[in-house]
Amino acid sequence: MSKSKPHNKSKTNQSIKQKSSLANDKVNSSRRLTNTLGLIIALFAFLLYSQTISYGFVYDDHTVLNENKVVMQGFKGIPTILKTDRLYGFKPEYRTTEYRPVPLVLFAIEWNFFPANPHFFHLINILLYSITCLLLFLLLVRLFNNQIFPFICTLLYAAHPIHTEVIANIKSVDEILCFLFAIIAITFEIKALEKNFLINMIIAFTSYLLSMLSKETGIAFLLIFPLVIYVFTNTS
């Protein structure tokens, strides 16, 4: 009897290792599937709107780009952008109370390297939209603990015709950035409830601040943040 104990222990340890290995394989397989589906979504969103790269400046683009004297200064215009309203560099009669420095800073940086090149600005719009769709998918996977349902939802989101004007109009990068930073904020809000609360909440708060400084409609997420916690977590 005493000789069989080591043998039984060995079998038990081997069984535990096999179960652990299977669990790790399952996790790795799930991650690979998530990454693959996320890449498909990003490529789909990019290819869907790739034709807009050939477009020029239109309508509201002029107010924040090729007719905005502050943005056209490139890096030198950033300090002025940070302390003035959105249309300060356009025409005096079009002054506004809207403060959206994040997209204007992005435009100034882009203009510094590719001045008066609308094709590059359109390319950046599409790339940011693709990244937004990817992060939205990853967030939904985290919330629903499933890949297929979030994949279908995000594909529908990416292809929805209501987004056409936002992506085709360079000025509307403020909409994209607003939602992009809000998604990042929600993601780190959830991470904060799991581990490293302070660090993740600081990142979440900073991301939300950037969302609000991209476009003021980001204020709607003040309601969405607690709803996400209430619906998708066990936090009281």
Side-chain angles (χ1 to χ4, degrees), residues 109-122:
I109 294 171
E110 292 176 75
W111 191 278
N112 195 82
F113 293 106
F114 297 91
N117 185 342
H119 310 307
F120 179 77
F121 286 87
H122 280 294

Side-chain angles (χ1 to χ4, degrees), residues 19-212:
K19 289 181 179 178
S20 176
S21 178
L22 288 172
N24 289 333
D25 288 343
K26 188 176 181 180
V27 170
N28 292 333
S29 177
S30 179
R31 285 177 180 172
R32 284 194 295 270
L33 177 60
T34 299
N35 294 335
T36 301
L37 294 178
L39 180 60
I40 290 172
I41 287 171
L43 287 174
F44 173 73
F46 182 87
L47 293 174
L48 188 64
Y49 289 100
S50 59
Q51 62 179 340
T52 64
I53 296 175
S54 63
Y55 296 175
F57 295 122
V58 296
Y59 304 118
D60 291 341
D61 294 346
H62 302 299
T63 66
V64 293
L65 284 166
N66 60 323
E67 293 183 24
N68 190 302
K69 297 176 182 178
V70 177
V71 169
M72 291 168 67
Q73 292 175 15
F75 288 131
K76 293 181 180 179
I78 293 178
T80 304
I81 289 171
L82 294 175
K83 58 186 179 183
T84 56
D85 63 84
R86 184 171 67 92
L87 299 180
Y88 177 82
F90 187 47
K91 298 177 181 179
E93 61 268 26
Y94 284 90
R95 292 295 298 277
T96 177
T97 57
E98 295 171 346
Y99 182 64
R100 303 175 188 173
V102 172
L104 292 181
V105 168
L106 175 63
F107 289 148
I109 294 171
E110 292 176 75
W111 191 278
N112 195 82
F113 293 106
F114 297 91
N117 185 342
H119 310 307
F120 179 77
F121 286 87
H122 280 294
L123 173 62
I124 295 299
N125 260 35
I126 302 170
L127 287 173
L128 288 172
Y129 183 67
S130 300
I131 293 171
T132 300
C133 291
L134 170 61
L135 294 183
L136 175 62
F137 168 70
L138 295 178
L139 173 60
L140 293 178
V141 169
R142 176 183 286 270
L143 293 178
F144 290 97
N145 195 27
N146 176 276
Q147 288 104 346
I148 303 304
F149 179 67
F151 179 71
I152 295 172
C153 289
T154 311
L155 279 181
L156 290 173
Y157 172 86
H160 201 292
I162 200 172
H163 300 140
T164 302
E165 183 180 352
V166 171
I167 297 137
N169 188 353
I170 300 171
K171 170 266 166 194
S172 294
V173 77
D174 53 6
E175 297 275 8
I176 299 174
L177 290 172
C178 178
F179 191 48
L180 172 63
F181 285 120
I183 291 172
I184 295 173
I186 294 174
T187 301
F188 279 93
E189 172 196 32
I190 295 171
K191 285 186 177 182
L193 300 177
E194 299 171 351
K195 60 180 180 179
N196 300 327
F197 179 83
L198 183 60
I199 295 174
N200 285 321
M201 281 304 292
I202 290 174
I203 297 174
F205 176 80
T206 304
S207 298
Y208 181 58
L209 180 62
L210 291 172
S211 174
M212 287 285 291

Side-chain angles (χ1 to χ4, degrees), residues 143 186 189-190 220-233:
L143 293 178
I186 294 174
E189 172 196 32
I190 295 171
F221 282 89
L222 283 178
L223 295 175
I224 295 174
F225 291 136
L227 282 175
V228 168
I229 294 176
Y230 179 77
V231 175
F232 294 100
T233 74

